[in-house]
Amino acid sequence: MDIESRDVVQARDAAPGDQFPHLEDFEETDDPVIPAADAVSSLQAVHDVPVTVQAVLGRARIAIGALMQLKKNAVIELDRRVGEPVDIFVNNRLIARGEVVLIDNALGVTLTEIVRQER
């Protein structure tokens, strides 16, 4: 990759011939490493942040014309079979898979797999 002079911003304290800007050195601190238990308690600040959780049973692609012709009791075939795990999304990111369960006439999901996504 070539760097052109128009892509470089001169530091305020740099001399005209300097190739790199002056960077300050950070001093080492004597602060101890935070223990894991304290790290967990430091997450208390985000415990009340709302997120959107979705359990996706399956997906289907359908033309707009066919969608507009749907009537009551119409069935849309999804890309999953009965018994296959559902996807659990948090803020549109897949985080787990699970099984649909019925709890006191309400649907729920039992998590069966936590998904680790590479970044």
Side-chain angles (χ1 to χ4, degrees), residues 33-44:
V33 176
I34 298 173
D38 291 342
V40 171
S41 66
S42 70
L43 290 175
Q44 286 294 100

Side-chain angles (χ1 to χ4, degrees), residues 25-47:
D25 289 329
F26 289 100
E27 295 178 19
E28 288 190 32
T29 63
D30 294 329
D31 293 340
V33 176
I34 298 173
D38 291 342
V40 171
S41 66
S42 70
L43 290 175
Q44 286 294 100
V46 297
H47 281 203

Side-chain angles (χ1 to χ4, degrees), residues 3-117:
I3 299 176
E4 296 184 26
S5 60
R6 64 183 163 86
D7 296 330
V8 177
V9 177
Q10 189 76 24
R12 282 179 277 177
D13 60 345
D18 285 351
Q19 189 174 11
F20 300 104
H22 172 72
L23 301 175
E24 293 181 33
D25 289 329
F26 289 100
E27 295 178 19
E28 288 190 32
T29 63
D30 294 329
D31 293 340
V33 176
I34 298 173
D38 291 342
V40 171
S41 66
S42 70
L43 290 175
Q44 286 294 100
V46 297
H47 281 203
D48 292 330
V49 175
V51 295
T52 301
V53 178
Q54 299 173 317
V56 178
L57 297 172
R59 293 184 172 86
R61 276 186 127 17
I62 185 170
I64 291 176
L67 180 67
M68 293 177 68
Q69 292 177 355
L70 291 176
K71 305 271 191 256
K72 183 178 178 179
N73 296 325
V75 176
I76 299 173
E77 186 176 345
L78 302 176
D79 62 351
R80 302 269 173 98
R81 303 279 181 236
V82 172
E84 282 189 49
V86 297
D87 292 333
I88 307 300
F89 289 85
V90 173
N91 287 351
N92 295 322
R93 174 172 287 206
L94 178 65
I95 59 125
R97 291 192 175 87
E99 296 175 355
V100 176
V101 294
L102 186 62
I103 306 167
D104 296 329
N105 289 330
L107 289 176
V109 177
T110 300
L111 300 184
T112 58
E113 175 188 357
I114 303 298
V115 176
R116 304 258 188 241
Q117 290 186 343

